[in-house]
């Protein structure tokens, strides 16, 4: 029996929560930015640390009674340092976008030039999208992926950097399936005197799990969300070289935020502790093996994956050779119990609200314990569902098969 007190105290919320629990348990989650946190992380999020106000930093708070908040924040910081080898860590950012805002506030001025990955080529809203604060305040110039290969061309990045002389070079993505050449980014930044900023929101868990290379040794500043592959609570953190520490801390508080969410900080400490265990390396390895298996099965069946494969947890499927657009695919797959997100593809001819692709990721299904065989099965269901996108009976039949597979892989709840 889950959430017994809510059930007793608030029937309305209880009903909604139970429906969501069933949705999460019975469906296959392929949204690349999602995951299932452990019961320990869930307990910390529901803990009495949510009662506390603690503006400021350890030993320098603006409220009384913060000795244990200090303990838990210090623990989260020391575990994060151990996990990523960072010189300085701030665990207070409430989410990824505010963390990125704090980085810009700490290091550049409105109107300054920043070089980042083009949004519809895999970048993030907070990397200079015109509707986002980042695009409104800063002068973003962008590098792209090559049309033929779907991969970032570092010679082009260098060319643009030499021409544009940006104050900052940003490397990071929400929808790119290849490894970044961190070292080369750093060399290019040094040539033009730019600050290096990596946003590893998507791949932090794969880096923590020692499966892909880390930018932390090379880059001045690295941000990450804590809730994607890193499998912690919703939130973020900023890692940086010592010389940026004071400015970053000041930009987070009092620059951007008031009180940190201490229940989240406790949950971050727990998640970092989990990520330090050898099992987490096995998890990260399996996430990638699963993504490779899913990409392979889709490609064998005529689907086009941007860059023809993946080195990480995600892939962007170009549906244009399937006579489909992303939104109809997303809707049909949802009816079949498979959760995905529509996605732009590089050089998309369709508009962002109805782009030509879908993005698939394996962090959540891997947490449930699924392996390559299940990935190939899921790929087959995807293919079948898309072929029968207008046949609700067929989609419902797939949904029942999905449900019985999921019954064997319970999600963590208390
Ligand atoms: C998800 C993501 C973020 C933002 O995270 P929120 O917590 O949703 O604000 C920032 N950068 C990148 C690259 C992301 O993928």
């Amino acid at each position: 029996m889950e959430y017994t007190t809510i059930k007793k105290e608030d029937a309305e919320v209880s009903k909604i929560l139970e429906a969501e629990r069933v949705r999460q348990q019975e469906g296959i989650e392929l949204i690349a930015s999602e995951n299932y946190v452990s019961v320990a992380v869930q307990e910390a999020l529901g803990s009495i640390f949510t009662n506390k106000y603690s503006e400021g930093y350890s030993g320098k708070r603006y409220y009384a009674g913060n000795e244990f908040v200090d303990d838990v924040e210090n623990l989260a910081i020391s575990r994060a340092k151990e996990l990523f080898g960072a010189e300085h860590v701030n665990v207070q950012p409430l989410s990824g976008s505010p963390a990125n805002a704090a980085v810009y506030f700490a290091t550049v001025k409105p109107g300054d030039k920043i070089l980042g990955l083009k949004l519809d080529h895999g970048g993030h809203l907070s990397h200079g999208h015109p509707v986002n604060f980042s695009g409104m305040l800063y002068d973003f110039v962008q590098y792209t992926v090559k049309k033929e290969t779907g991969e970032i061309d570092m010679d082009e990045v260098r060319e643009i950097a030499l021409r544009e002389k940006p104050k900052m070079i940003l490397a990071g993505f929400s929808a790119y399936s290849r490894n970044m050449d961190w070292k080369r980014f750093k060399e290019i930044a040094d040539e033009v005197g730019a600050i290096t900023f990596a946003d590893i929101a998507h791949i932090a868990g794969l880096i923590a799990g020692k499966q892909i290379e880390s930018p932390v040794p090379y880059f001045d500043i690295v941000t990450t969300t804590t809730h994607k592959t890193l499998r912690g609570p919703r939130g973020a953190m900023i890692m940086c070289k010592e010389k940026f520490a004071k400015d970053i801390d000041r930009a987070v508080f009092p620059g951007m935020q008031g009180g940190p969410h201490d229940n989240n900080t406790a949950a971050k400490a727990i998640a970092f502790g989990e990520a330090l265990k050898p099992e987490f390396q096995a998890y990260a390895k399996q996430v990638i093996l699963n993504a490779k298996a899913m990409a392979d099965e889709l490609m064998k069946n005529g689907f086009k994956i941007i860059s023809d494969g993946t080195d990480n947890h995600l892939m962007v499927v170009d549906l244009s050779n399937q006579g489909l657009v992303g939104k109809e695919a997303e809707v049909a797959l949802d009816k079949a119990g498979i959760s995905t997100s529509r996605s732009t593809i590089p050089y998309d001819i369709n508009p962002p609200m109805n782009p030509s692709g879908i993005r698939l990721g394996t962090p959540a299904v891997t947490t449930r314990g699924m392996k390559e065989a299940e990935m190939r099965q899921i790929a087959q269901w995807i293919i079948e569902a898309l072929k029968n996108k207008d046949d609700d009976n067929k989609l419902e039949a797939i949904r029942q098969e999905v449900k019985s597979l999921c019954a064997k892989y319970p999600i963590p709840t208390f």
Side-chain angles (χ1 to χ4, degrees):
M1 182 62 69
E2 280 86 13
Y3 309 113
T4 46
T5 309
I6 299 174
K7 190 167 190 178
K8 213 167 72 198
E9 305 284 333
D10 192 326
E12 283 176 285
V13 170
S14 175
K15 205 172 141 217
I16 298 167
L17 186 53
E18 177 56 16
E20 174 63 9
R21 190 191 64 78
V22 170
R23 188 193 71 80
Q24 291 194 17
Q25 170 55 42
E26 295 186 352
I28 287 171
E29 187 53 72
L30 296 182
I31 293 176
S33 47
E34 294 191 15
N35 213 329
Y36 305 103
V37 298
S38 69
V39 174
V41 168
Q42 293 174 47
E43 283 185 359
L45 286 172
S47 73
I48 51 174
F49 272 123
T50 197
N51 299 335
K52 196 69 199 95
Y53 241 107
S54 48
E55 283 181 0
Y57 291 100
S58 186
K60 296 172 288 192
R61 305 282 182 183
Y62 291 79
Y63 293 80
N66 275 306
E67 55 271 40
F68 305 114
V69 166
D70 282 0
D71 284 348
V72 86
E73 191 171 312
N74 288 336
L75 184 62
I77 289 168
S78 68
R79 287 181 177 175
K81 283 184 176 170
E82 188 182 344
L83 203 50
F84 291 97
E87 288 179 19
H88 179 79
V89 176
N90 186 312
V91 294
Q92 292 192 3
L94 303 178
S95 219
S97 298
N100 290 350
V103 171
Y104 301 136
F105 292 161
T107 53
V108 290
K109 289 196 200 58
D112 276 354
K113 199 174 273 185
I114 305 174
L115 177 59
L117 177 60
K118 193 162 190 279
L119 282 312
D120 53 352
H121 288 224
H124 186 259
L125 267 179
S126 62
H127 299 180
H129 195 287
V131 302
N132 184 267
F133 79 92
S134 54
M136 295 174 196
L137 285 180
Y138 306 103
D139 179 16
F140 271 85
V141 286
Q142 294 172 316
Y143 54 93
T144 57
V145 302
K146 283 269 161 233
K147 194 161 189 183
E148 315 77 62
T149 60
E151 298 193 37
I152 295 166
D153 175 353
M154 292 309 293
D155 293 331
E156 188 203 58
V157 173
R158 178 171 180 269
E159 224 171 85
I160 300 172
L162 291 175
R163 185 176 70 231
E164 299 282 350
K165 302 262 185 307
K167 282 262 167 57
M168 169 180 269
I169 295 183
L170 169 50
F173 54 81
S174 299
Y176 182 66
S177 61
R178 294 303 180 181
N179 287 326
M180 291 287 212
D181 190 345
W182 307 118
K183 192 159 170 277
R184 186 85 197 279
F185 269 109
K186 170 68 176 155
E187 287 164 5
I188 293 167
D190 283 349
E191 257 188 283
V192 298
I195 294 168
T196 44
F197 170 23
D199 178 352
I200 58 169
H202 261 266
I203 49 174
L206 307 179
I207 292 169
K210 304 204 174 348
Q211 301 305 309
I212 63 180
E213 202 195 6
S214 172
V216 172
Y218 305 111
F219 274 52
D220 295 317
I221 300 165
V222 179
T223 61
T224 182
T225 54
T226 45
H227 50 269
K228 297 179 184 174
T229 51
L230 194 49
R231 211 165 65 183
R234 303 204 80 78
M237 67 172 158
I238 304 174
M239 299 173 263
C240 65
K241 301 288 187 220
E242 202 54 56
K243 75 173 209 196
F244 292 94
K246 252 176 113 173
D247 288 340
I248 288 289
D249 284 351
R250 249 204 310 263
V252 173
F253 172 84
M256 267 292 296
Q257 297 181 179
H261 296 181
D262 302 314
N263 55 325
N264 268 68
T265 306
K268 284 173 187 173
I270 291 171
F272 301 158
E274 291 171 356
L276 281 164
K277 293 184 182 154
E279 299 93 282
F280 195 81
Q281 293 181 24
Y283 164 70
K285 186 172 180 189
Q286 191 64 46
V287 166
I288 298 172
L289 290 172
N290 282 352
K292 284 182 187 297
M294 184 174 288
D296 180 61
E297 191 69 20
L298 289 169
M299 288 188 296
K300 273 203 314 217
N301 285 276
F303 281 76
K304 167 135 185 59
I305 308 273
I306 302 298
S307 85
D308 299 318
T310 180
D311 296 324
N312 57 28
H313 64 299
L314 70 79
M315 69 208 74
V316 177
V317 186
D318 174 357
L319 295 167
S320 52
N321 68 352
Q322 303 288 324
L324 275 169
V325 284
K327 185 145 177 232
E328 7 172 41
E330 183 189 295
V331 169
L333 291 171
D334 196 43
K335 286 184 187 168
I338 300 171
S339 228
T340 62
S341 45
R342 59 184 181 271
S343 173
T344 52
I345 57 169
Y347 307 97
D348 209 329
I349 53 165
N350 287 312
M353 270 311 289
N354 193 18
S356 305
I358 48 170
R359 189 187 62 173
L360 307 175
T362 54
V365 287
T366 308
T367 293
R368 294 179 86 154
M370 296 182 191
K371 297 218 158 72
E372 289 93 326
E374 287 76 34
M375 297 306 112
R376 292 188 187 276
Q377 174 62 71
I378 292 168
Q380 286 301 333
W381 283 327
I382 290 173
I383 294 161
E384 224 178 302
L386 294 181
K387 253 190 223 145
N388 296 281
K389 68 176 170 56
D390 300 316
D391 182 346
D392 281 356
N393 290 332
K394 184 71 198 166
L395 297 175
E396 178 55 31
I398 298 171
R399 186 190 184 81
Q400 291 309 320
E401 291 186 72
V402 162
K403 186 173 155 184
S404 46
L405 176 74
C406 287
K408 289 190 258 172
Y409 298 95
I411 63 165
T413 56
F414 55 66

